[in-house]
Amino acid sequence: MLPTPCGVAPAAAASPCPLLLLPRRHRRLLLLPALRAASVSLSAAASHAHDAVLLRRAAGVADRSAGLTSPHPNFGCVIARPQLETDNAEAWVVGEGFLYAQGTPCAELLAAQEAGEHARGATAYLNLEPGDCYGDSTAVSTLVQAGITRVVVGLRHPLKHLRGKAIQSLRNEGIQVDVVGEDLHSKLFKEALKSCLVVNAPLLYRAAFRVPFSVLKYAMTADGKIAASSGHASWVSGKSSRGRVFELRGRSDAIIVGGNTVRLDDPRLTARHVKGHVPVRIVMSQSLNLPEEANLWNVNDAYTIVATQRGARRDLQKKLALKGVEVVEFDMLNPRDVMSYCYDRGYLSVLWECGGTLAASAISASVIHKVYAFLAPKIIGGVNAPTPVGELGMNQMTQAIDLIDVSYEQIDRDMLMSGFIQPIPDLSPVIPSVDEMPSIDPEVSPYETNIISFYKTWDTFGAFSNFSPHPIHMPDETGDYFTWLTVEHYYQAHKFIGVDSPQAREIIQEIKLAKSPEEAARIGRTRQREFQELVRPDWDSIKTDVMYRAIKCKFSTYSHLTDMLLSTAGSVLVEASPHDLFWGGGREGEGMNYLGRLLMQLRSEILGTIQTTVEVGEPA
Ligand SMILES: NC(=O)C1=CN([C@@H]2O[C@H](COP(=O)(O)OP(=O)(O)OC[C@H]3O[C@@H](n4cnc5c(N)ncnc54)[C@H](OP(=O)(O)O)[C@@H]3O)[C@@H](O)[C@H]2O)C=CC1
Ligand SMILES: Nc1c(N[C@@H]2O[C@H](COP(=O)(O)O)[C@@H](O)[C@H]2O)[nH]c(=O)[nH]c1=O
């Protein structure tokens, strides 16, 4: 039987716990002294070190069911309580559990059951915030009922509709919740966070890019060949390496090969030597020039899908269908569309085991996120022997793709090198941060956000761009009103306004006469670089005020723009510029998004939820 929320024995629980009579927001405050007492002998540094170790352990525990939980991510929970006898945090663990598969008991429940009474007053470490799917709040209620007083969370849930929900519910119950990167900062936590990111990389990629996490795996000789010139490839890598491939397959939802690999290798693509998940096999073939008999058509081993070009060899399509193979036609067969298709089928991760032709096509389409290269100490030679990646159109070594977070491992006589092509997207940075949001727009809840992006003027919300063709009537360098073609013209010119120099005045004229916002931006930026002495010295501190004045004028001049802005109430606005990390949100949310912030601020000001001191027409 699990302990009750206040940690009293079930029989005594009939009389309400005094803590529960308090308003929820006060319960947490009352619990804090007790927590401090528990960790009294630990310095902050030591307690951080222990937290980081235990969080990494939670990630490790979560990883035990990799591949099995799809479409759910991997959840691990470690319950620990400090013990005076030992400083080894691992020895403090009183219970742990992981989500074994969809529909099985959640990690928190298993860990709490193992911990029993020891969970009372203990800390729970979660690699990932629980997802309260379909109103199932077992994870939260388990922690509450077990008497957990503190929860350390590695990552907030990456899915928008779930992010922050469980954390809020736990806090509402008076439990102290510390989230890495928000409440816990240090190099140790960064490392622990990395483990949490890696274990759920598939979900993070899926959430960020709307494609499954894709790994390209190949085995090559020391001279970089994946087969002999004849196409014969069994085997390049050794037995242990191939055993590792079975594990990789078992962690994947699907394995992809190209038509040529089917013709030359007649592969089975099963995870036969590991007990676990059986991935779907996908063959990409444009011509459908595939054999009528092949190991992959034996669907007793595993399900097979053939992705092909619309109308290709309908006769073979029928024969394959009779064998139980699913044939899917694409208007234009390409890696990106196949990945979108896999996304729609709910796949979290895909292993590409194709040859170099399809691998190059998939890399070019930016759908490959990670590479596993097995290197065997063999030389096969042959100018026509296939290599792992075909033509990418690069002709300078400086264009090479640099792998990120590379690791090396020796597997018997082989070497396994792995690395990411694209960094794991950490979706936790919210634009703007939780602390900043209330002062920008109190109507927006940063953890239940709907993000509206704009960038090019032809986008749905493109009118929010400073390049949109909406002239504004605002003072110029003389104080007289001037019609600026766009907000961008006004903004760029202001870099040089107030500087007592004929050259600065010339640049202002040049910008005023620029025929397009692109031209105004180009002039402003290049002159700023070339003639730094002509830029007003306080530019960095006043540029957001200048911008705010300009957009305020633009939106008050054009009522339909105001309507459009107000129609976005409650959403986070992001200028999706991949390059401008000050005004824009960056490629992966790494930008500061100041333009989006100012627009949200203006929206709030119009709605009357905040007041600002910046007035249109004031000198900048
Ligand atoms: N050592 C290793 O790790 C591996 C070695 N190999 C070896 O590699 C060789 C085969 O390599 P390779 O010829 O490059 O074969 P691929 O596996 O890359 O297959 C290429 C085929 O993929 C299909 N395809 C479908 N869509 C596309 C697209 N958009 N772009 C490119 N191809 C597409 C086409 O099939 P279709 O012609 O049917 O239309 C194309 O001919 C074999 O010798 C095999 O043994 C293969 C895999 C791993
Ligand atoms: N040759 C080669 C690999 N080749 C890959 O494995 C496939 C064969 O899988 P299966 O039929 O299930 O054993 C083959 O078609 C190709 O995709 N893999 C490796 O790890 N090492 C190797 O040396």
Side-chain angles (χ1 to χ4, degrees), residues 355-606:
T357 317
L358 186 53
S361 196
I363 291 176
S364 301
S366 300
V367 297
I368 302 292
H369 305 117
K370 190 171 188 184
V371 173
Y372 278 91
F374 290 88
L375 175 67
K378 295 176 184 173
I379 291 180
I380 184 78
V383 280
N384 294 323
T387 59
V389 180
E391 188 53 59
L392 288 179
M394 299 180 186
N395 52 21
Q396 303 282 315
M397 198 36 89
T398 45
Q399 295 172 289
I401 299 166
D402 270 328
L403 298 187
I404 309 162
D405 270 340
V406 182
S407 49
Y408 307 87
E409 186 188 342
Q410 186 171 346
I411 303 177
D412 286 349
R413 278 167 40 85
D414 297 343
M415 175 71 82
L416 168 59
M417 183 178 79
S418 59
F420 289 86
I421 288 192
Q422 301 174 26
I424 303 180
D426 176 358
L427 299 183
S428 37
V430 174
I431 310 166
S433 75
V434 202
D435 300 338
E436 292 168 298
M437 204 64 231
S439 61
I440 295 171
D441 186 343
E443 300 293 296
V444 176
S445 153
Y447 288 119
E448 286 154 42
T449 49
N450 175 37
I451 295 182
I452 293 181
S453 302
F454 61 93
Y455 183 35
K456 297 293 181 190
T457 49
W458 54 82
D459 292 341
T460 313
F461 289 93
F464 294 173
S465 160
N466 292 335
F467 282 24
S468 79
H470 295 99
I472 51 172
H473 202 54
M474 298 271 289
D476 67 6
E477 71 282 14
T478 63
D480 291 340
Y481 275 76
F482 175 78
T483 301
W484 303 88
L485 266 187
T486 64
V487 166
E488 190 66 20
H489 284 74
Y490 176 86
Y491 172 78
Q492 293 295 345
H494 274 70
K495 290 177 177 173
F496 311 94
I497 285 182
V499 178
D500 190 15
S501 146
Q503 251 185 307
R505 284 190 283 276
E506 259 173 47
I507 295 173
I508 295 166
Q509 285 315 307
E510 223 187 328
I511 294 173
K512 278 175 150 179
L513 295 174
K515 291 193 180 61
S516 67
E518 287 82 0
E519 193 181 327
R522 188 175 43 74
I523 299 169
R525 288 179 193 143
T526 46
R527 300 290 178 269
Q528 181 180 12
R529 255 197 320 272
E530 290 164 354
F531 308 108
Q532 284 171 15
E533 69 284 4
L534 298 180
V535 177
R536 51 184 297 172
D538 59 350
W539 179 240
D540 275 342
S541 60
I542 61 142
K543 64 183 181 185
T544 48
D545 275 0
V546 170
M547 185 68 92
Y548 195 64
R549 267 189 200 96
I551 62 167
K552 198 167 169 179
C553 177
K554 169 174 152 183
F555 282 82
S556 53
T557 308
Y558 302 95
S559 60
H560 64 286
L561 293 191
T562 305
D563 292 346
M564 187 191 265
L565 184 63
L566 296 185
S567 76
T568 67
S571 296
V572 169
L573 302 178
V574 178
E575 194 205 15
S577 164
H579 315 293
D580 187 339
L581 298 188
F582 182 81
W583 294 112
R587 205 177 290 278
E588 283 147 22
E590 74 277 31
M592 307 287 287
N593 185 36
Y594 270 99
L595 183 57
R597 291 171 191 230
L598 292 187
L599 286 165
M600 289 186 275
Q601 201 173 314
L602 178 63
R603 185 179 64 193
S604 274
E605 195 184 338
I606 298 170

Side-chain angles (χ1 to χ4, degrees), residues 218-219 226-227 231 233 236 258-261 263-265 284-287 333-335 353-358 361:
Y218 51 81
I226 56 167
V236 177
N260 214 21
T261 296
R263 289 188 286 271
L264 287 162
D265 290 359
M284 282 179 65
S285 171
Q286 281 148 337
S287 65
L333 184 68
N334 62 67
E353 287 206 63
C354 50
T357 317
L358 186 53
S361 196

Side-chain angles (χ1 to χ4, degrees), residues 15-56:
S15 56
C17 162
L19 196 59
L20 291 179
L21 298 174
L22 284 169
R24 282 184 167 165
R25 63 182 182 282
H26 291 154
R27 288 183 213 158
R28 184 172 172 216
L29 296 176
L30 278 188
L31 283 165
L32 284 175
L35 276 169
R36 279 198 209 104
S39 57
V40 75
S41 58
L42 296 174
S43 69
S47 94
H48 277 190
H50 292 125
D51 279 347
V53 165
L54 292 164
L55 190 58
R56 270 214 308 275

Side-chain angles (χ1 to χ4, degrees), residues 217 219 233 235-237 245 249 261 265 267-269 272 353:
K217 163 259 140 189
W235 298 105
V236 177
S237 55
V245 172
R249 288 178 183 173
T261 296
D265 290 359
R268 288 164 65 190
L269 305 178
R272 47 194 177 273
E353 287 206 63

Side-chain angles (χ1 to χ4, degrees), residues 247-280:
E247 277 173 34
L248 288 176
R249 288 178 183 173
R251 300 172 78 100
S252 312
D253 295 321
I255 300 170
I256 299 196
V257 288
N260 214 21
T261 296
V262 177
R263 289 188 286 271
L264 287 162
D265 290 359
D266 191 16
R268 288 164 65 190
L269 305 178
T270 50
R272 47 194 177 273
H273 295 313
V274 285
K275 223 171 56 189
H277 175 56
V278 181
V280 168

